[in-house]
Amino acid sequence: MQHSNTQDTLVGLFVAAGIAGLFFLALQVSNLSTFVEEDTYTVTASFENSGGLKVKSPVSAAGVKIGQVKSISFDPKTYQSVVEMAIYSKYENLPTDTTASVFTAGLLGEQYVNLEPGGSDEYLQDGSKIEITQSAIILEKAIGQFLFKSAEEKAKK
Amino acid sequence: MIKFLNFLGRTTTTGFTKLGRGSYFLLDTLAGIGSMALRPRLVVNQIYFVGVLSFLIIVISGLFVGMVLGLQGYYILSDFGAEETLGLMVAASLVRELGPVVTALLFAGRAGSALTAEIGLMKATEQLSGMEMMAIDPIKRIITPRFLAGFIAMPLLAALFSAVGIVGGQLVGTGLLGVDDGAYWSQMQANIDFEDDIVNGVIKSLVFGFVTTWIALFEGYDTVPTSEGVSRATTRTVVNSAFSILGLDFILTALMFGDD
Amino acid sequence: MENRVKQQDNLVSVRNLSFSRGEKKIFDDVSLSIERGKITAIMGPSGTGKTTLLKLIGGQLAPASGSIHVDGLNVHRLKRAELYNLRKRMGMLFQSGALLTDMSVYDNVAFPLREHTHLPESMIRTLVLMKLHAVGLRGARNLMPSELSGGMARRIALARAIALDPMMIMYDEPFTGQDPISMGALVHLIKSLNTTLGLTSIIVSHDVQETLAIADYAYLISEGRIAGQGTPEQIRQSPSEWVQQFITGAADGPVHFHYPAKDYFDDLVSTGRRY
């Protein structure tokens, strides 16, 4: 069999294109890049209720993603939800009195952890614990409270 | 009634006999893989026929499927004010389902039928017998390289299909309909998981490549050696491949994405 | 090979061979011998399983009972690798030529050499050109099989069959569908190859005159049995009506012109309904 060089070249190009496609999917489309490229440090926070938060939910500050949720577990002693977060190392100057809250993006959107920096001079480090937290707003609860309040106000009048 | 049962019984038996022959054929084919390491040329040659020649149809189909997904997705998502998740929707549908499945179906039509016809004709013109009489094992020399080529080409084609489709969706979504470009990519990146989505998609296309190429080669090898037999075998390849791909897709999807 | 018990004169010996395909008995207790260095013809009407016999000798089919020995080896008792080794010493010329359609004439002839030997390409080239020259088609080396006439394809296939210098060649219907000139060329080629290369040849054919012209010995097969055998002279002189009908090609004789059917008159006056 005689093999033409063009055929070999085309096969080479084809395989290269296919592998490029795979890389594109891995790096540009999926979340793989966020694991590979970034160094992170871990901080924890305990919530009364972490709501619909999931592993890999984003952690953001001022609307910018600065990390993601690493694990969520239930602490049987305090009956709280313990959330471990991986924060990108380049955002290393978060004050120790930062507030962590579970928010919802839009009415039906996914839930995420919002970090609101405080005024302390000391910064969070790997393994630190965020003390000030605010739980997820549970829609049923909020509606219930609202109804209860308005009923109370009516009763006052 | 008896006649019907009789017919049913006979059809089932024939089916099992064929499956049995097919399995032996597959074992013989796989047994030849080791020797291919010494002769990679044979495989490279076949990648040209099954892969490179399917390239264009895959890229064009991928582009259009992506563009349609962009349009349809936008119409539905904008009803909920969730246009930003368009990228996620396009990417998830492509990477998980449409990429592997549509690529496999196109592959069966383009490369699978060609393989069946080629092998069937070789059988009808006594080329396979001739090889055996020259003390050359036609399975090792003809079938195994084609099998490997199909198995290698399929995931590459599926990846291309998905990648081009995602770009197609972006062209329509951000270029035409005004979805924010950053949102298109960031929603995608935040929610498409490498292991759950990309790796599972690749596994799917490997399975489809294996099965489609096996069916195509076996139908060719098992052909009734006449021109009518070859044309029937070619049809059977496309039909059986399509059934197997869709059936397997259901099973694989249930296994992979069942417990989220 | 030296330590074989006795030096056999017969290269191929078929003993009590039976083979059936479905319900139909193709061979029923057939025995025949092919003498070394000679041209042996196996003739018979179409559909008597002549090609099947070649496939049995080549080990592509297995007999229901009986044995086939080639060069002292029982073909159907051999392990796969041994069978393949034996096949390297057998050439077979298929009716269609069975050239590989996706490669040129040159590559087709080089194919067995490249697959079975590790000869350098320059030596393969010399060998291929020699074999092509032997069949008179050295000039056609760059053609593709689709560009060849039937006779040329067969000659190329012959060049390929002798590429590995086999001890025997089996010809399956070499003369069918050939014009007189290429038929003559093939007849001459088979004869001269047999003498110059010291081959043993088996020709399966129903072209009586061409085959008898070059055969040293001939078997006539009919309905699964050997209906006649002998040298061409003996065959021509045979007292058997069937043999005479076969070699002269008379329309009616022991083999009837009509396919077995019921009485002609009854058939015409019947209602035509199937029953």
Side-chain angles (χ1 to χ4, degrees):
Chain A
M1 294 130 283
Q2 279 149 354
H3 303 275
S4 57
N5 272 329
T6 22
Q7 185 172 313
D8 288 1
T9 315
L10 286 172
V11 171
L13 282 175
F14 165 71
V15 173
I19 291 174
L22 278 174
F23 266 97
F24 173 78
L25 292 183
L27 298 178
Q28 180 72 18
V29 175
S30 85
N31 54 359
L32 186 66
S33 53
T34 49
F35 290 122
V36 178
E37 289 170 9
E38 310 273 351
D39 283 338
T40 60
Y41 65 99
T42 308
V43 298
T44 54
S46 300
F47 295 93
E48 291 288 338
N49 189 328
S50 59
L53 207 61
K54 281 184 289 196
V55 174
K56 286 173 192 164
S57 289
V59 175
S60 55
V64 178
K65 188 179 174 189
I66 59 164
Q68 62 182 355
V69 173
K70 210 167 147 191
S71 76
I72 301 173
S73 56
F74 177 67
D75 183 346
K77 281 182 201 149
T78 58
Y79 305 120
Q80 283 188 325
S81 152
V82 180
V83 176
E84 266 193 312
M85 291 168 277
I87 311 289
Y88 302 143
S89 300
K90 57 182 168 183
Y91 307 114
E92 58 186 355
N93 50 352
L94 294 172
T96 46
D97 57 349
T98 294
T99 312
S101 0
V102 178
F103 282 172
T104 307
L107 192 57
L108 300 170
E110 58 171 355
Q111 296 200 295
Y112 66 97
V113 179
N114 184 59
L115 297 186
E116 207 170 307
S120 171
D121 288 338
E122 285 174 54
Y123 297 133
L124 289 172
Q125 280 161 7
D126 191 45
S128 305
K129 190 166 192 273
I130 297 176
E131 299 294 344
I132 318 164
T133 61
Q134 190 185 340
S135 290
I137 295 168
I138 308 297
L139 205 57
E140 295 91 320
K141 245 186 191 172
I143 294 171
Q145 271 171 357
F146 173 74
L147 291 178
F148 185 69
K149 247 184 200 165
S150 49
E152 226 175 24
E153 272 169 23
K154 252 184 198 167
K156 268 183 192 168
K157 281 178 187 174
Chain B
M1 187 64 196
I2 300 276
K3 244 187 190 170
F4 174 71
L5 285 178
N6 210 336
F7 166 78
L8 202 68
R10 210 167 335 113
T11 323
T12 321
T13 324
T14 338
F16 279 124
T17 315
K18 191 166 178 183
L19 188 61
R21 270 192 319 232
S23 308
Y24 273 115
F25 173 82
L26 181 63
L27 286 181
D28 278 350
T29 308
L30 297 178
I33 286 182
S35 62
M36 285 303 113
L38 299 173
R39 311 186 60 182
R41 274 235 153 274
L42 292 177
V43 183
V44 171
N45 233 10
Q46 290 308 319
I47 290 181
Y48 176 79
F49 288 107
V50 299
V52 176
L53 296 184
S54 308
F55 180 85
L56 203 62
I57 183 175
I58 293 293
V59 167
I60 293 174
S61 314
L63 188 68
F64 279 113
V65 168
M67 285 162 71
V68 169
L69 277 177
L71 274 180
Q72 290 282 18
Y74 180 81
Y75 294 144
I76 294 170
L77 292 174
S78 61
D79 282 351
F80 300 98
E83 300 96 297
E84 284 76 24
T85 56
L86 181 67
L88 168 63
M89 198 207 103
V90 171
S93 355
L94 278 170
V95 171
R96 287 185 169 193
E97 287 298 331
L98 293 173
V101 171
V102 177
T103 306
L105 291 174
L106 290 171
F107 183 87
R110 173 69 183 78
S113 58
L115 282 176
T116 306
E118 187 192 9
I119 306 288
L121 277 174
M122 288 183 90
K123 185 176 182 188
T125 53
E126 297 179 306
Q127 293 181 48
L128 296 182
S129 275
M131 253 185 219
E132 268 182 39
M133 286 307 299
M134 283 188 270
I136 294 158
D137 185 350
I139 298 229
K140 268 197 190 121
R141 182 63 178 66
I142 299 293
I143 305 290
T144 305
R146 286 165 173 74
F147 180 81
L148 271 184
F151 188 65
I152 293 170
M154 182 73 89
L156 297 178
L157 288 170
L160 275 170
F161 185 95
S162 298
V164 171
I166 287 166
V167 173
Q170 187 225 6
L171 286 180
V172 171
T174 70
L176 222 59
L177 302 169
V179 174
D180 179 57
D181 197 48
Y184 186 87
W185 292 112
S186 67
Q187 281 289 336
M188 199 187 296
Q189 283 166 11
N191 290 285
I192 299 287
D193 186 67
F194 180 71
E195 268 170 49
D196 283 351
D197 296 309
I198 311 278
V199 172
N200 278 344
V202 172
I203 291 175
K204 269 189 182 181
S205 59
L206 282 171
V207 172
F208 295 158
F210 188 95
V211 172
T212 325
T213 322
W214 173 31
I215 290 176
L217 292 171
F218 178 64
E219 286 292 355
Y221 194 75
D222 204 43
T223 294
V224 181
T226 58
S227 31
E228 196 199 4
V230 174
S231 79
R232 281 191 184 187
T234 313
T235 313
R236 268 203 309 273
T237 291
V238 178
V239 173
N240 291 349
S241 300
F243 279 143
S244 315
I245 290 163
L246 297 172
L248 277 172
D249 184 48
F250 175 75
I251 296 170
L252 288 174
T253 306
L255 284 177
M256 289 170 171
F257 305 106
D259 45 352
D260 199 20
Chain C
M1 293 297 135
E2 281 76 29
N3 57 358
R4 226 176 25 240
V5 187
K6 58 171 184 173
Q7 189 63 39
Q8 283 157 313
D9 213 9
N10 293 333
L11 182 62
V12 180
S13 60
V14 177
R15 291 285 160 262
N16 309 104
L17 176 78
S18 294
F19 181 82
S20 37
R21 187 163 272 159
E23 299 287 293
K24 200 184 168 204
K25 276 209 155 166
I26 310 265
F27 294 114
D28 188 9
D29 202 21
V30 168
S31 297
L32 50 82
S33 313
I34 313 282
E35 212 180 325
R36 197 184 289 271
K38 296 284 165 63
I39 299 177
T40 305
I42 294 166
M43 295 189 286
S46 309
T48 46
K50 302 185 298 290
T51 307
T52 309
L53 180 63
L54 294 187
K55 289 197 169 170
L56 283 162
I57 295 175
Q60 285 190 303
L61 295 172
S65 67
S67 68
I68 296 175
H69 286 79
V70 176
D71 201 26
L73 302 165
N74 185 336
V75 174
H76 299 97
R77 289 280 159 76
L78 293 178
K79 292 205 183 77
R80 193 181 160 78
E82 296 168 333
L83 177 64
Y84 270 56
N85 269 326
L86 179 62
R87 280 183 185 164
K88 284 183 204 168
R89 300 193 285 138
M90 303 189 204
M92 178 151 172
L93 185 71
F94 284 84
Q95 197 172 344
S96 60
L99 294 175
L100 300 169
T101 38
D102 60 345
M103 35 176 112
S104 70
V105 163
Y106 179 92
D107 288 324
N108 259 290
V109 180
F111 184 71
L113 293 168
R114 286 181 180 147
E115 292 288 323
H116 288 310
T117 68
H118 296 285
L119 296 176
E121 200 57 31
S122 62
M123 196 175 286
I124 286 181
R125 189 186 130 88
T126 314
L127 283 171
V128 170
L129 292 184
M130 275 166 62
K131 306 295 174 188
L132 281 173
H133 188 74
V135 298
L137 291 173
R138 190 162 43 86
R141 71 186 107 153
N142 291 324
L143 298 180
M144 293 302 282
S146 55
E147 298 168 299
L148 301 172
S149 70
M152 282 163 86
R154 257 174 240 190
R155 281 153 71 186
I156 301 291
L158 186 52
R160 186 177 67 176
I162 58 173
L164 288 173
D165 291 322
M167 58 182 179
M168 65 181 273
I169 297 194
M170 299 186 274
Y171 299 91
D172 184 7
E173 301 283 4
F175 309 120
T176 309
Q178 301 293 316
D179 62 76
I181 296 176
S182 48
M183 184 118 82
L186 274 165
V187 169
H188 168 74
L189 206 52
I190 293 172
K191 180 80 186 163
S192 66
L193 281 179
N194 200 73
T195 34
T196 53
L197 300 181
L199 293 167
T200 304
S201 306
I202 305 174
I203 303 177
V204 149
S205 178
H206 50 232
D207 293 288
V208 179
Q209 300 315 328
E210 289 74 17
T211 314
L212 286 184
I214 50 170
D216 295 305
Y217 201 82
Y219 289 92
L220 265 65
I221 295 182
S222 168
E223 287 166 5
R225 294 168 176 282
I226 291 177
Q229 58 175 295
T231 60
E233 215 36 50
Q234 288 167 332
I235 297 274
R236 288 202 180 92
Q237 310 287 325
S238 171
S240 155
E241 273 183 62
W242 186 87
V243 173
Q244 284 305 327
Q245 188 195 354
F246 183 73
I247 60 174
T248 55
D252 214 350
V255 178
H256 294 293
F257 173 66
H258 291 290
Y259 193 80
K262 59 195 175 114
D263 188 73
Y264 189 35
F265 178 76
D266 284 353
D267 220 359
L268 287 179
V269 298
S270 70
T271 54
R273 205 174 280 150
R274 285 193 199 191
Y275 41 92

XYZ file of all heavy atoms in Angstrom, chain A residues 59-67 91 114:
75
model
N -19.389 31.091 45.854
C -19.219 31.983 46.996
C -18.815 33.317 46.393
O -17.860 33.378 45.609
C -18.095 31.478 47.926
C -17.853 32.480 49.044
C -18.442 30.114 48.478
N -19.551 34.369 46.722
C -19.193 35.627 46.083
C -19.149 36.767 47.092
O -19.700 36.665 48.192
C -20.159 35.943 44.937
O -21.475 35.932 45.414
N -18.459 37.804 46.689
C -18.405 39.013 47.497
C -18.656 40.174 46.562
O -18.050 40.255 45.498
C -17.022 39.149 48.146
N -19.596 41.034 46.941
C -19.975 42.181 46.113
C -20.333 41.751 44.696
O -20.048 42.452 43.730
C -18.829 43.211 46.078
N -20.907 40.542 44.574
C -21.381 40.073 43.268
C -20.329 39.403 42.414
O -20.617 38.957 41.316
N -19.094 39.314 42.938
C -18.042 38.661 42.160
C -17.748 37.304 42.780
O -17.634 37.171 43.996
C -16.758 39.516 42.161
C -15.657 38.798 41.384
C -17.038 40.880 41.576
N -17.612 36.307 41.937
C -17.350 34.965 42.466
C -15.909 34.880 42.989
O -14.963 35.187 42.266
C -17.565 33.921 41.362
C -17.489 32.512 41.897
C -17.724 31.465 40.814
C -17.470 30.084 41.417
N -17.469 29.021 40.432
N -15.761 34.518 44.254
C -14.418 34.432 44.812
C -14.093 33.032 45.320
O -13.041 32.800 45.896
C -14.216 35.437 45.978
C -15.232 35.162 47.081
C -14.313 36.872 45.487
C -14.876 35.830 48.391
N -15.016 32.089 45.108
C -14.743 30.730 45.557
C -15.980 29.888 45.403
O -16.946 30.303 44.758
N -7.744 36.207 46.839
C -8.577 37.046 47.717
C -8.273 36.687 49.156
O -9.081 36.076 49.857
C -10.070 36.831 47.437
C -10.436 37.009 45.989
C -10.882 35.946 45.225
C -10.329 38.268 45.382
C -11.221 36.109 43.891
C -10.663 38.436 44.045
C -11.103 37.358 43.302
O -11.436 37.526 41.993
N -22.944 34.619 50.178
C -22.445 35.965 49.974
C -21.584 36.351 51.175
O -21.982 36.163 52.325
C -23.613 36.936 49.821
C -23.126 38.333 49.499
O -22.459 38.547 48.494
N -23.429 39.279 50.385
